[in-house]
Structure formats: C-alpha cells, structure tokens
C-alpha cells in the first residue's frame, strides 16, 4: 500500500474514491461540505434522499458527480456530532473500507481536517493507515482461482490546511507497520493447520530475521530435552510434527538494556489430546497458535520501524494430538523449572507449553514479560469477542497495557488473580495440577502461569475470544497486535 499526503483543493483531487463523513443529523462534515459546494449540492441531495441514515458506519456510494475530480464519493455515517471522537472515526473508517471491498476503487483519499489538534491528527492518520491495510486484507492464497479483484493500492491523505507533516508521516509509518504486522498475523492464523505447522512458524521467524536483522534461534526437540522442557514436550508427544522453540532477538535499544520479552502460545492444532475435544467447530483450533502469530506479527512491526528498544520473542510451538504414545490424564511431568505437574486434562495444554517458555524467559533478565495465548474457552464466556482478558503480577504493567489497548482501539480488561484463586491449584500427587475447578477457569489458568513468573514483571493476555471470528466472517482478526505495538511504541518513546 502506498501512502501520500496532499494539500490543495479537495474537489480537484483525482482519486478513485474520497471518503467523507455525515452526521446522523444529516449535517455534512467539513470536507463533505467542500465537495457539496463543488457539486452544486449533490451531497445534500443524497443526504436528503433517505439513502443514508448517518448512523456510525452506514455508507452511501455516489458515482461520477459533476464538478469534482474524484470518481466516487463515499459518504460514511459518523453518528451524533456531539459523540464524534477517535473511536467513531475508526469505526466509521473501518466500515468505509469494508464497503469499498465490493467496488473497483483501489486508490482512496481520506481528508484530514487540520482543525483537529496535532495529536488527534497524528492518531487519525496512524489509525487510518492501519485500517486501510486491515480493510484491504484478503486471504485467498488457498483458492485455486482467487476472485477478489479489488485490493487497495494507495491511500492519499488530504490536508485542508497546514500541519506538521513530519509528525504525520511518522504516524502513517507506525500505522502501516501495525497494519502489515496484523496482516502477517492473520495469514498465519488463516493458513490451514496442515501448512501452518511448527516448522512453518519457525521458517516465518527465520524470514523475519533475514528481513529485519533479528537474531533467530530455533531449538529442536533434542535441545528442549537437554533444557528439561518436559511439559512442552509432553504436549507434542503424539504429533508427527516436530516441536520447535523459536527465539527472535531485536537489539534496537541501548546495549545491555533489559529487554521486553514477548511469549506466544503456538499450538498449531489443538485436538485436546486424549481429553479429546467435541467435533463441532474443531477446525477453529487451527487458530490456537494466534498467540505466536501475533508475536511474529508484532516483530514484523518492530522490524519495519527499527524500533529503538530491545525486544525478545519466544514461541513454544507444537501440535496437541491423541495417539498411542500421547500423554495421559494422570501423568506427572517435571517442568523446566522443577515444578512437577499432574496432567488432569490434556486439553489444558497451552499452559504446559507456556510454563517452560516463561522459565526460559528468565535468562534474558527481562524488563517485563508479556504473553499472549488463546488459553481458555472460559475467556470467551467472560468477555465475549470484544475485549481481551488481561492478568498481571504487577499493576503498573497491567495499566500500561490497558492504556495501550485503549490508544490502539484494541481493548483489554484486567481480571483479578490473587491467592484466593491460586489456592485451587492443589494436587494429591504432584506439586500442582494443570487444571482447577471450572469456576473462574481463565483466572486459574493465569494463576498456573503465575507459578512460573515470580522473578520478573509479567502480564498475560488471554485472546481466546478476540483472536479470530467465527461464522460467516470466519477469519483471524490480527489482535492483539495493535495493543502490543502501542505498548512497545510507548516503551521505545516513539
Ligand atoms: N485452546 C483452548 C482454549 C480455547 C477454546 C480457545 C475454545 C478458544 C475457543 C485451550 O487449549 C483449552 O482447550 N482449554 C480448555 C481448558 C480446560 C480443559 C481447563 C478449555 O477452555 O476448555
Ligand atoms: Mn486445549
Ligand atoms: Zn489450546
């Protein structure tokens, strides 16, 4: 996607489509008024026709209006004027790009009104660049005849006055990097589980390392055996796919400065193992690697921006299969840090691969560790598909991540952990079991991880409800890449 900034008369700008806002009172936005004037009231007429409500995200496409150079005008509803803000801007623009999917427009213009504050303007440009890439995203690499003709090629930002162009360009670069990171995350998630294997994720990491000069280390089964990553290996046992432990290191910050360590759950398919899952929608368990997918995606963002921060990514990845040599409910496994775990349910496998990765994280003496995992079905029950669950052993880190989510329009909500929940992790035979009672299942899963993160500041994102969509719109969302990217941007001071 090409991005550019232009000034001058909006009505004379040659473009496939210009996107302008309309409020639910039928009042036109400032830039819509400019086009209205040039077209002798065509937009006012369209607004009065009743063909667009002005409700946030409603759209109406106008073709070949006389008096302007743009081929199309897309009117997009922005709701009530008094409620108009950054959130509505993003929702409206998201809807606009979605509706453009079915048109031939590939070069789109977005007016930025310079009456907004500089920080608002930069935020809008950053969001718009990201939304443009998000909206143009297609996954048709597995179709024999890809038939989606319209893939966005260019976005022009139009300024109706003077603005700090350097700051705007930097904002667009950030938005572009987040958008491209999300696209990688979505590709990795949407790819079928016979292709997106642990080996495929390792190769993706190697490609990123080449492109962005990261250091890449891939530990094989024998390396993991030496390190004592037995809980990870216990999940992988019955799979024909070799497990991988992927390490990416980006040294963009001060030499020797403590890094942020990102850890992503990489179960490339979760059958449940011997505690086999029911059949319905089991295909969606190909998304059980989206913790890993989002960490690889955000590393792309980091690389594209040469982020001035030290960042380490750890991805434990394998497949959870049943089989004659599979781990059984009742088996007891010694984790890398020495804690013994009684496996009571082989479907609670995410925590088993994460705990060894969290132990491995200690060697980096991290400033903070953040993991992302499609960890529990209970998370979907608690927060639905809107908000990511957040857990932390440090409230400041939790607040930092919640704020990053707000800023990125990629919300997370903190849930409690605490000793009352932790007490549920009791085993008659080992140090801890891998499951507690069903009540508060996402919290006790977080408490399990908390047993392995005592030596550093740590937060856990349960993305089970937010990493992908089901039903007709089935597909990866690219979340929580925007949240993570924003968190890293703030830490890097950009
Ligand atoms: N990957 C699943 C969690 C999941 C399920 C995410 C459905 C999104 C949608 C995870 O490995 C799992 O199976 N968790 C179990 C834990 C239980 C056995 C304690 C669950 O949530 O049912
Ligand atoms: Mn599972
Ligand atoms: Zn799982």
């Amino acid at each position: 996607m090409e991005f550019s900034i232009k000034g001058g008369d909006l009505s004379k700008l040659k473009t496939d489509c210009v996107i302008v806002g309309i409020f639910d009172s039928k009042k036109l936005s400032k830039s819509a008024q400019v086009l209205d004037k040039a077209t002798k009231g065509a937009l006012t007429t369209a607004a009065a026709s009743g063909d667009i409500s002005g409700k946030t995200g409603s759209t109406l496409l106008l073709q070949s209006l006389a008096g302007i150079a743009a081929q199309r005008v897309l009117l997009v509803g922005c709701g009530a004027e008094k409620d108009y803000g950054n959130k509505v801007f993003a929702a409206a623009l998201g809807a606009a790009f979605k509706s453009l999917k079915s048109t031939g427009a590939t070069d789109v213009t977005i007016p930025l009104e310079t009456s907004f504050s500089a920080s608002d303007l930069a935020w809008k440009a950053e969001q718009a660049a990201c939304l443009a890439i998000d909206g143009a995203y297609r996954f048709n690499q597995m179709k024999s005849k890809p038939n989606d003709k319209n893939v966005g090629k260019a976005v022009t930002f139009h300024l109706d006055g003077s603005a700090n162009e350097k700051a705007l360009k930097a904002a667009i670069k950030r938005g572009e990097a987040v958008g491209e990171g999300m696209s990688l995350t979505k590709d990795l998630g949407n790819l079928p589980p016979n292709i997106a294997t642990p080996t495929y994720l390792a190769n993706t990491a190697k490609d990123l390392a080449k492109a962005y000069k990261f250091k890449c280390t891939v530990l094989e089964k024998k390396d993991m055996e030496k390190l004592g990553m037995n809980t990870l290996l216990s999940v992988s046992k019955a799979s024909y796919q070799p497990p991988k432990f992927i390490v990416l290191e980006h040294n963009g910050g001060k030499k020797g400065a403590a890094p942020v360590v990102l850890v992503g759950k990489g179960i490339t398919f979760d059958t449940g193992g011997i505690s086999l899952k029911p059949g319905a929608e089991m295909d969606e368990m190909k998304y059980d690697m989206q913790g890993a997918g989002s960490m690889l995606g955000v590393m792309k963002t980091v690389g594209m921006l040469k982020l001035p921060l030290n960042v380490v990514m750890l991805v434990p990845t394998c497949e959870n299969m049943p089989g004659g040599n599979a781990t059984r409910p009742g088996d007891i496994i010694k984790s890398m840090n020495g804690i013994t775990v009684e496996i009571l349910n082989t479907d609670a496998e995410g925590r088993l691969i994460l705990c060894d990765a969290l132990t491995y994280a200690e060697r980096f003496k991290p400033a903070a560790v953040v993991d992302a995992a499609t960890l529990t079905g209970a998370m979907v029950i608690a927060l639905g598909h809107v908000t990511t669950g957040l857990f932390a052993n440090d409230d400041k880190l939790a607040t930092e991540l919640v704020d990053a989510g707000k800023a990125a329009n990629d919300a997370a909500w903190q849930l409690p952990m605490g000793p009352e929940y932790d007490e549920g992790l009791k085993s008659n035979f080992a140090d801890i079991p891998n499951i507690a009672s069903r009540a508060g299942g996402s919290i006790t899963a977080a408490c399990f991880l908390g047993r392995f993160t005592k030596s550093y500041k740590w937060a856990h994102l349960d993305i089970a409800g937010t990493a992908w969509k089901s039903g007709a719109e089935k597909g990866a969302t690219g979340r929580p890449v925007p949240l993570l990217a924003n968190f890293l941007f703030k830490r890097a001071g950009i």
Side-chain angles (χ1 to χ4, degrees):
M1 187 98 59
E2 297 282 328
F3 295 97
S4 59
I5 302 174
K6 281 186 187 153
D9 186 347
L10 182 61
S11 65
K12 302 223 167 73
L13 194 78
K14 272 209 180 116
T15 176
D16 284 355
C17 183
V18 53
I19 302 173
V20 290
I22 176 169
F23 296 107
D24 63 3
S25 61
K26 302 289 157 74
K27 182 176 164 188
L28 298 171
S29 71
K30 261 169 83 184
S31 30
Q33 286 173 30
V34 171
L35 299 179
D36 193 46
K37 224 170 156 188
T39 56
K40 301 205 169 70
L43 278 70
T44 306
T45 309
S49 71
D51 290 357
I52 179 162
S53 68
K55 231 179 76 189
T56 302
S58 57
T59 56
L60 177 65
L61 189 69
L62 305 172
Q63 283 273 4
S64 325
L65 299 180
I68 60 173
Q71 230 179 70
R72 303 174 186 78
V73 173
L74 183 70
L75 272 175
V76 53
C78 294
E81 192 173 4
K82 65 169 175 43
D83 301 332
Y84 184 73
N86 287 346
K87 240 190 148 151
V88 177
F89 173 86
L93 203 54
F97 282 120
K98 208 167 163 191
S99 83
L100 285 177
K101 269 191 177 181
S102 54
T103 75
T106 62
D107 142 40
V108 175
T109 297
I110 302 166
L112 288 177
E113 293 169 12
T114 52
S115 53
F116 289 114
S117 72
S119 65
D120 260 13
L121 210 59
W123 188 91
K124 286 188 167 69
E126 182 174 336
Q127 278 285 319
C130 181
L131 285 166
I133 294 170
D134 193 36
Y137 177 82
R138 302 285 184 286
F139 185 80
N140 49 26
Q141 48 179 301
M142 302 310 295
K143 304 234 190 209
S144 54
K145 290 191 195 89
N147 56 359
D148 254 324
K149 55 188 181 338
N150 169 32
V151 174
K153 286 202 187 95
V155 170
T156 303
F157 292 98
H158 177 266
L159 292 173
D160 61 356
S162 63
N164 181 346
E165 285 206 22
K166 206 175 142 212
L168 272 186
K169 276 190 185 143
I172 293 166
K173 273 236 137 50
R174 288 196 299 275
E176 183 182 17
V178 176
E180 293 296 343
M182 288 172 80
S183 293
L184 173 59
T185 300
K186 286 189 267 188
D187 276 349
L188 292 172
N190 290 333
L191 278 166
N194 58 329
I195 291 183
T197 59
T199 304
Y200 188 94
L201 296 187
N203 289 338
T204 303
K206 284 178 192 160
D207 290 346
L208 287 174
K210 235 190 191 156
Y212 304 112
K213 302 200 170 63
F214 299 146
K215 183 178 168 202
C216 180
T217 315
V218 178
L219 303 183
E220 306 292 336
K221 184 173 169 221
K222 60 179 192 319
D223 305 313
M224 293 185 247
E225 279 166 353
K226 266 192 213 132
L227 286 164
M229 293 180 158
N230 301 313
T231 47
L232 195 171
L233 291 170
S234 77
V235 175
S236 172
K237 252 175 101 186
S239 168
Y240 286 101
Q241 294 293 336
K244 306 277 171 181
F245 189 91
I246 309 167
V247 185
L248 277 181
E249 293 170 70
H250 166 72
N251 294 308
K254 284 205 188 79
K255 210 174 162 182
V260 171
V261 177
L262 304 172
V263 182
K265 170 180 172 182
I267 294 292
T268 59
F269 196 76
D270 183 10
T271 64
I274 296 299
S275 314
L276 194 65
K277 285 184 180 296
E281 280 112 45
M282 207 209 270
D283 66 293
E284 294 187 9
M285 281 300 114
K286 71 174 182 175
Y287 291 116
D288 210 20
M289 40 53 72
Q290 275 304 63
S294 49
M295 293 315 181
L296 286 161
V298 84
M299 287 308 284
K300 175 160 186 151
T301 308
V302 164
M304 283 178 73
L305 295 171
K306 298 195 176 67
L307 201 70
L309 189 73
N310 295 333
V311 184
V312 175
M313 183 206 78
L314 305 177
V315 162
T317 174
C318 67
E319 208 178 33
N320 187 18
M321 287 288 189
N325 60 341
T327 295
R328 293 158 286 256
D331 284 2
I332 293 178
I333 315 286
K334 189 179 205 148
S335 69
M336 183 178 171
N337 93 342
I339 296 177
T340 58
V341 182
E342 184 186 13
I343 313 295
L344 291 178
N345 188 321
T346 63
D347 198 9
E349 85 298 338
R351 60 199 82 181
L352 297 174
I353 69 167
L354 286 168
C355 69
D356 281 343
L358 291 167
T359 301
Y360 190 86
E362 286 174 3
R363 68 186 56 203
F364 297 97
K365 302 199 168 44
V369 176
V370 181
D371 80 70
T374 48
L375 202 63
T376 60
M379 200 67 248
V380 190
I381 305 303
L383 295 181
H385 300 288
V386 181
T387 312
T388 293
L390 166 67
F391 305 81
N393 64 9
D394 182 88
D395 277 337
K396 252 175 91 179
L397 177 61
T399 307
E400 206 180 330
L401 286 158
V402 168
D403 289 347
K406 276 186 197 152
N409 220 358
D410 181 9
W413 189 268
Q414 189 184 3
L415 285 92
M417 294 178 65
E420 302 88 338
Y421 292 103
D422 195 74
E423 272 162 22
L425 294 172
K426 279 207 179 81
S427 162
N428 284 356
F429 307 111
D431 295 339
I432 49 172
N434 77 328
I435 55 166
S437 77
R438 261 163 56 85
S442 307
I443 303 178
T444 48
C447 288
F448 180 95
L449 299 179
R451 297 292 184 108
F452 299 84
T453 60
K454 299 219 184 283
S455 71
Y456 49 69
K457 291 176 183 167
W458 158 76
H460 156 60
L461 297 167
D462 193 333
I463 56 171
T466 50
W468 76 91
K469 288 183 181 162
S470 310
E473 280 191 283
K474 192 188 285 181
T477 60
R479 294 177 69 182
V481 170
L483 179 158
L484 291 166
N486 240 270
F487 164 72
L488 296 175
F489 293 173
K490 290 272 146 37
R491 286 240 165 179
I494 72 161

